[in-house]
């Protein structure tokens, strides 16, 4: 079983990473986990060229950035957790560029994300988390993924780096999310994805 967490924050190892690590810590023994941090990685937006639909080679035609390497990891994963801080009531531009391109390439290649597990995690200083949370979940829904929830919306509060550690309820929400994901993962892995 493979679980991939993607931190869309411009800040490495900050609040979003702490929340994602909290979820990953709940994975059962033997689960391969990986955390990718988009901070500093070159990523560009979708150019709407639609060459991925012509080539159907599981790759984006846009070269010179990190997308194809990350997308290959996404297609290999059984579960994907997307994390982002709130930027103007939405996710960061970096993770938005990633999911926009991933959506187009996956759909052009016969639904590469279909029936994978997905979960969104959002860090906020004060407000806007529900809009950012919804935007990340829209990727899962349009990609035919199975969305995993918790006992509350998957968000935590913290402005300064590390401040989310003081949000006991937010971290417990992450632990419950991790336990729910850990429970569902073996029930889905190995099932037909057609």
């Amino acid at each position: 079983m493979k679980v991939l967490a993607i931190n869309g924050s411009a800040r490495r190892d900050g609040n979003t990473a702490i929340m994602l690590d909290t979820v990953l810590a709940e994975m059962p023994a033997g689960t391969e986990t990986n955390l990718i941090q988009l901070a500093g990685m070159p990523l560009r937006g979708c150019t709407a060229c639609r060459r991925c639909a012509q080539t159907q080679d599981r790759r984006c035609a846009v070269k010179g950035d990190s997308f194809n390497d990350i997308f290959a990891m996404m297609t290999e994963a059984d579960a994907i957790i997307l994390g982002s801080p709130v930027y103007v009531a939405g996710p960061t531009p970096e993770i938005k560029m990633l999911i926009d391109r991933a959506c187009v390439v996956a759909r052009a290649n016969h639904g590469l994300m279909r029936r994978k597990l997905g979960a969104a995690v959002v860090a906020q200083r004060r407000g806007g988390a529900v809009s950012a949370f919804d935007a990340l979940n829209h990727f899962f829904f349009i990609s035919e993924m199975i969305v995993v929830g918790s006992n509350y919306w998957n968000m935590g509060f913290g402005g300064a780096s590390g401040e989310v550690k003081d949000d006991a309820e937010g971290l417990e929400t992450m632990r419950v999310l991790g336990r729910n994901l850990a429970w569902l993962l073996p029930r889905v892995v190995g099932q037909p994805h057609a």
Side-chain angles (χ1 to χ4, degrees):
M1 297 182 294
K2 294 183 179 181
V3 179
L4 176 65
I6 302 173
N7 178 9
S9 177
R11 185 188 299 163
R12 292 182 63 84
D13 301 318
N15 292 324
T16 307
I18 291 166
M19 293 167 56
L20 290 169
D21 282 337
T22 303
V23 176
L24 292 176
E26 298 295 326
M27 294 304 103
T31 303
E32 182 182 324
T33 62
N34 196 356
L35 172 64
I36 295 174
Q37 302 203 53
L38 298 182
M41 283 190 175
L43 271 176
R44 294 175 28 205
C46 181
T47 63
C49 69
R50 302 294 295 157
R51 282 182 277 175
C52 56
Q54 295 164 2
T55 61
Q56 293 189 351
D57 62 356
R58 298 174 157 233
R59 298 180 62 76
C60 178
V62 175
K63 306 283 191 266
D65 70 0
S66 302
F67 174 79
N68 283 317
D69 292 335
I70 297 169
F71 186 71
M73 295 176 74
M74 292 173 77
T75 61
E76 292 171 10
D78 299 302
I80 300 168
I81 308 164
L82 298 176
S84 179
V86 175
Y87 279 25
V88 192
T92 63
E94 292 81 5
I95 203 153
K96 186 70 169 90
M97 286 187 285
L98 176 71
I99 63 176
D100 285 351
R101 286 171 69 186
C103 180
V104 172
V105 176
R107 290 170 62 91
N109 286 272
H110 311 290
L112 294 175
M113 298 297 148
R114 182 178 295 126
R115 298 190 185 101
K116 291 180 183 290
L117 301 180
V121 168
V122 177
Q124 63 183 332
R125 183 188 68 80
R126 199 156 170 81
V130 172
S131 298
F133 184 62
D134 287 347
L136 297 176
N137 281 317
H138 291 163
F139 167 72
F140 301 135
F141 291 131
I142 199 167
S143 299
E144 300 179 59
M145 294 174 70
I146 300 164
V147 178
V148 181
S150 185
N151 59 349
Y152 195 74
W153 293 286
N154 307 335
M155 58 184 70
F157 287 87
S161 187
E163 202 170 82
V164 76
K165 291 178 183 176
D166 297 329
D167 181 9
E169 182 180 357
L171 291 178
E172 180 59 17
T173 300
M174 297 305 112
R175 286 188 283 275
V176 172
L177 173 62
R179 290 192 292 268
N180 289 343
L181 183 59
W183 179 87
L184 191 55
L185 197 55
R187 289 163 170 81
V188 173
V189 172
Q191 297 300 317
H193 287 274

